[in-house]
Amino acid sequence: MTNNSTEPEPSRSAPARICLAGEDLDWLGGSSLQAAIDLRIRCALSMAPRPTSFEIFASGTLTGRAVSADLWTPADAAWAELARFAVSFHHDRDDDRWPSELAIVSAIPPGAGLASSAALCVATLAIPADRIDPGEPIEAGLVVERELAGRDVGPMDYVPCAAGGVVRVFCHGGRIESVGHLAWPGDLAIVVVDTRRTRDTSEVIRWKRARSQAGDPAIAAYVRRTKEAVERLCALLEDETPDPVSIGEALDAAQSTLRDDMGVSDDVTDDCIEALKRHGALGAKITGTGKGGCVFGLFLEDTAAGAVRALLAEGFAATLTKVSMAGVVPG
């Protein structure tokens, strides 16, 4: 370690999220249904009176070490720039204590459609707060990603990472207009499968925007069909006794339009979804931008562990998780 007299700040953790239905409706117009899941990223920041460097350490699904001369100097690893921007948001060169080290422990696969970047920003931006108000890291995180890091991201990912639970996020013009919270059946589990196919999320979004601006009728069909899936899911979750089979069918409908209209599925993704269904998923779909990343399946809780074992035995990168009611929290 190169920094002396470091003092730790209270650490924060934030969950990943899956999109139950409504990818891209934050900029196409409409609402999306998001759920926080119990895969989390934890960030711990240390401060020092006069640090001689700023260091970032990452372990878990994100690994590496990045060093810069100080918080305001670009790091020597591209992956660490978002973390550096998030830390710098609340700090100034005139502060008595400067950030010296950021330790990241992640259980979220990066770049896989689970909002790992939003979770990283939310957890880091919540560190200085004595009391965590979910709205603050959402607003600040969008500034960090859009303006400082120059990433083309929508706002809907940030809500479940900050607030937890299942949320319906209404957006217009790329801005959050309102958020509604929904219940989630306690006997349902989520199995995430990583397709192991990376892609440039911003490039995929630019391709979608170009099609929309050109008046592609498939985009209009996607918006219509996806809005129907969102409404169906919301109605099911508002029922006193939601039917798991019907929830699964609504997820399948959302995947159908992602595949047929938006065109972000492929043979590898379809194989992962078919494997989830073969092992008992009530419904399965892409989460996030598509063209790679992750898919997920909905399972009855007593069948999920066996499905994961079978998927792993077949070579799929499967992880068992559940909806997390907790958003960004201490520790």
Side-chain angles (χ1 to χ4, degrees):
M1 299 288 181
T2 57
N3 299 316
N4 297 318
S5 303
T6 59
E7 300 178 26
E9 294 280 300
S11 62
R12 303 286 190 238
S13 76
R17 73 92 177 92
I18 53 173
C19 183
L20 298 171
E23 284 89 348
D24 299 300
L25 292 190
D26 52 351
W27 60 271
L28 283 168
S31 64
S32 65
L33 194 58
Q34 310 271 331
I37 57 173
D38 206 18
L39 300 177
R40 304 184 72 86
I41 189 165
R42 177 181 178 274
C43 294
L45 182 66
S46 293
M47 309 286 288
R50 285 289 182 268
T52 56
S53 68
F54 178 64
E55 301 179 71
I56 304 174
F57 303 88
S59 61
T61 54
L62 181 67
T63 59
R65 175 175 179 265
V67 182
S68 58
D70 58 31
L71 181 62
W72 298 273
T73 304
D76 57 3
W79 66 268
E81 278 298 271
L82 182 63
R84 186 180 68 84
F85 283 133
V87 174
S88 69
F89 186 85
H90 284 302
H91 298 280
D92 186 82
R93 291 176 185 270
D94 296 329
D95 290 345
D96 293 335
R97 297 187 305 150
W98 289 3
S100 59
E101 299 164 9
L102 179 68
I104 302 168
V105 180
S106 179
I108 309 172
L114 299 176
S116 58
S117 62
L120 172 62
C121 286
V122 166
T124 303
L125 288 161
I127 289 173
D130 294 328
R131 174 181 169 276
I132 302 175
D133 177 354
E136 293 178 4
I138 292 172
E139 294 178 6
L142 288 169
V143 172
V144 167
E145 277 216 82
R146 287 173 170 174
E147 300 179 18
L148 300 183
R151 298 184 176 188
D152 187 2
V153 299
M156 64 184 184
D157 293 358
Y158 276 84
V159 179
C161 294
V166 177
V167 290
R168 184 176 187 177
V169 185
F170 292 83
C171 293
H172 180 73
R175 297 181 61 85
I176 298 170
E177 288 195 335
S178 64
V179 175
H181 294 262
L182 291 97
W184 181 256
D187 58 348
L188 295 180
I190 304 293
V191 176
V192 175
V193 173
D194 192 341
T195 67
R196 300 188 178 100
R197 295 179 62 248
T198 59
R199 73 277 194 256
D200 184 331
T201 300
S202 294
E203 183 178 327
V204 177
I205 293 174
R206 284 193 293 271
W207 169 70
K208 294 176 181 178
R209 289 185 188 274
R211 290 171 57 200
S212 177
Q213 291 166 1
D216 186 343
I219 298 292
Y222 170 78
V223 171
R224 175 181 56 79
R225 294 177 66 190
T226 301
K227 285 182 176 180
E228 291 172 356
V230 170
E231 293 299 332
R232 177 62 176 152
L233 278 166
C234 287
L236 288 165
L237 294 177
E238 288 168 351
D239 193 288
E240 290 186 4
T241 56
D243 175 32
V245 173
S246 297
I247 294 173
E249 290 172 349
L251 293 179
D252 286 342
Q255 169 60 22
S256 175
T257 187
L258 282 166
R259 181 191 64 230
D260 300 337
D261 300 317
M262 190 57 84
V264 292
S265 195
D266 55 25
D267 290 345
V268 173
T269 302
D270 291 345
D271 285 347
C272 292
I273 289 174
E274 192 278 330
L276 283 162
K277 298 296 291 289
R278 186 172 68 249
H279 291 295
L282 303 173
K285 67 179 289 289
I286 288 168
T287 180
T289 304
K291 285 189 172 290
C294 282
V295 301
F296 72 91
L298 178 71
F299 287 79
L300 295 174
E301 196 169 39
D302 58 1
T303 67
V308 170
R309 288 193 294 270
L311 288 162
L312 291 171
E314 294 178 11
F316 292 96
T319 303
L320 176 61
T321 186
K322 60 183 179 180
V323 169
S324 171
M325 291 299 118
V328 59
V329 293

